[in-house]
Amino acid sequence: MIIKPKFRGFICTTAHPEGCAQQVRNQIDYVKSQPAINGPKKVLVIGASTGYGLASRITAAFGAGADTIGVFFERPSSGNRTATAGWYNTAAFEEAAREAGLFAKSINGDAFSNEIKQQTIEMIKREWGKVDLVVYSLAAPKRVHPETGEVFSSVLKPIGQTFSNKTVDFHTEEVSHISIEPATEEEIRHTIAVMGGEDWKMWIDALQEADVLNEGAKTVAYSYIGPVVTHPVYREGTVGRAKNHLEATAHELDKQLKKIGGEAYVSVNKALVTQSSSAIPVVPLYISLLYKVMKEKGLHEGCIEQMYRLFNERLYTGGEVQVDEEGRIRIDDWEMREDVQAEVSARWSKVDSDNLKELSDIEGYRRDFFQLFGFETDGVDYEADTEANVTIQSLA
Ligand code: NAI
């Protein structure tokens, strides 16, 4: 079929298999063009199909020569409906890994459930014995608690007071004001349950109990801080509370892993266009301004550049892992540089619908968003008849 982008709200409901495969190959090529990483050899990535998790998997495999198991929640194609982008990404990743002689298997299902944890542990025991690194990169709107069955939904809201600021609709390129009502206590509790550290700890507990973590094993989860302008809706809002919980969990897990000489970290990453971040109000406008400023300064990075730097310059340097005063890894260092933030902030106060194109990289934002779903990618013929039914080999 001929596959075109189709939108429902800020989500694209179609994905292009060839475009997704090309995006994955581009990421692999980037990692292969960089010096090899003396890193982990058996890597479990939870949330491995898109965004930072996919880039982590690619970096581990093609940077450090690691065998990988990826866990994610994606949908295959059915009838005239395409699969999700993460499905196509994984099919392409597995194919490239196998060609390179690397083990790559995937588990598609709800990572919050006990069943998927057990399935993963069985696969590790059967195929590897033990794991060297566990990357936790889930971003989900909902979680069913595995013990109580309670269904939690995360929300993106400020806490304590209404937040009003500028936002952009990148489809229409219109800058407008939005107001977001504060979250209730219940919504805060729910968001912490979905995006906080409880499930990460459940994974590490289960892996440790099953004795499948190698001596010196590491685990890392991802967080975000960002500029003052987004603090009310992000870092000081509901998701920020969840990130505080995630960061506190890292300290707990670090102590727990000391028994096997292991370590747990949170890495604070750069703001980037992913399926998750595009759903946050205000943030897309910030990202558009940030992209423009960082590109002008030659500092721009995507998920793959960030993850390569995380592995090569932080987690696997051979020496101590460099952290901030709160024990967090910072690869948002370039985003948070004083000159970058000062410039973004000056532009923030001026930006409106008329000067959006000049002050921000709204075009780069839009293109990155389409590329998440395999569209607008160089080297792909979008008029060609394309097979939407693609198999992930390890799931076949
Ligand atoms: P993403 O939406 O690209 O990826 C989410 C992954 O989680 C996908 O692989 C998806 O299949 C998987 N997933 C979702 N629900 C699942 C479930 N129930 N069971 C199994 N897998 C499930 O998101 P992104 O942006 O890469 O986020 C990953 C982490 O990075 C999050 O913790 C996020 O807060 C953090 N982060 C993101 C930043 C950004 O700007 N995008 C910046 C800094 C941190």
Side-chain angles (χ1 to χ4, degrees), residues 47-53 71-74 109-112 136-142 195 222-224 234 243 246 267-277 287:
S49 53
T50 56
Y52 276 122
V71 180
F72 48 77
F73 210 0
E74 301 292 346
D110 182 8
F112 295 128
Y136 187 83
S137 186
L138 290 186
K142 274 197 168 48
M195 291 296 286
Y222 302 138
S223 188
Y224 183 64
Y234 193 92
K243 292 300 185 193
L246 188 79
S267 170
V268 182
N269 301 348
K270 178 193 182 194
L272 279 174
V273 182
T274 65
Q275 295 189 40
S276 301
S277 68
I287 293 182

